[in-house]
Amino acid sequence: MPPAIQNLLEPLSPVMDILSAHPYIALFAGMLIAGEIILLPAIFLATTGRIDLLAVVSISLLATLISDAIWYALGRRFPARFIKRFSGRFGHKFLDSMERIFNAGGGQVLFLSKFVYGTRTLVQVFAGLHGMPFRNYLPINMAGVLAVIVVLILVSYAIVGMTIRIEEVMQRLQVAFLLFVVITVGGFFMFSRVMKQRWSV
């Protein structure tokens, strides 16, 4: 493998090693703490047949919903404390814009936040702070989590399939993983930038 590609993949190699050695425990714990950092390599390993895809989807969904529900509950219990915490990170203007948008359509923001990197936790807190009924919150949040997982699976299968078709040029699956990470992160970054600009108006 070219040295440049090895250097790009090197930061993710510890995550890949842990997932390969103890995939499901690492996935559950990692999704509770780190989210997408664990989800990307887990989905790639699943779509290349290294670990079970259904298990990855189930564990990722469960761990994310637990993590999100904790933030939702904290938003309901300690709204002022958490808004103060996020104000330093996002700025008052962004929080004021999110407040208006959430008042107009909290469910839509909750769903789309899964695709906007860096806002997932904030939106969970807002859902709790605004008193969104849990019976409404849970299905919308679950739909958003499933949508992200399905998109990532489709992207991974597409990249792996493309790599296999041109294996005389790209003979290592690590190249497919690199493409998967670059395309996925790039796509999420662009979408996040557009949505954050729209939410900041």
Side-chain angles (χ1 to χ4, degrees), residues 8-25:
L8 285 170
L9 287 173
E10 191 169 346
L12 288 169
S13 60
V15 177
M16 296 288 280
D17 292 340
I18 293 170
L19 279 170
S20 297
H22 308 285
Y24 306 117
I25 295 173

Side-chain angles (χ1 to χ4, degrees), residues 168-184:
E168 66 277 4
V169 179
M170 303 176 180
Q171 297 185 358
R172 302 289 183 102
L173 279 176
Q174 288 92 332
V175 177
F177 178 57
L178 174 64
L179 287 172
F180 171 58
V181 170
V182 169
I183 291 173
T184 302

Side-chain angles (χ1 to χ4, degrees), residues 1 27 32 64 66 75 77 111 130 134 147 156 166 170 189:
M1 184 188 302
L27 176 60
L32 284 175
T64 303
I66 291 173
R77 184 70 179 83
F111 182 88
H130 280 262
F134 192 76
S156 184
I166 56 173
M170 303 176 180
F189 176 79

Side-chain angles (χ1 to χ4, degrees), residues 105-127:
Q108 182 183 30
V109 175
L110 179 62
F111 182 88
L112 289 175
S113 68
K114 301 300 178 184
F115 297 88
V116 181
Y117 183 76
T119 64
R120 181 175 68 93
T121 302
L122 172 65
V123 172
Q124 305 304 314
V125 171
F126 260 103

Side-chain angles (χ1 to χ4, degrees), residues 67-68 70-76 78-99 116-129 196:
S67 175
D68 288 352
I70 291 171
W71 287 110
Y72 168 86
L74 289 172
R76 295 200 74 155
F78 307 105
R81 181 187 303 177
F82 280 91
I83 288 301
K84 184 177 180 181
R85 174 181 175 179
F86 285 114
S87 65
R89 180 179 172 187
F90 291 95
H92 293 290
K93 182 179 177 182
F94 182 79
L95 289 178
D96 290 342
S97 297
M98 284 294 296
E99 180 88 21
V116 181
Y117 183 76
T119 64
R120 181 175 68 93
T121 302
L122 172 65
V123 172
Q124 305 304 314
V125 171
F126 260 103
L129 180 132
K196 284 179 180 178

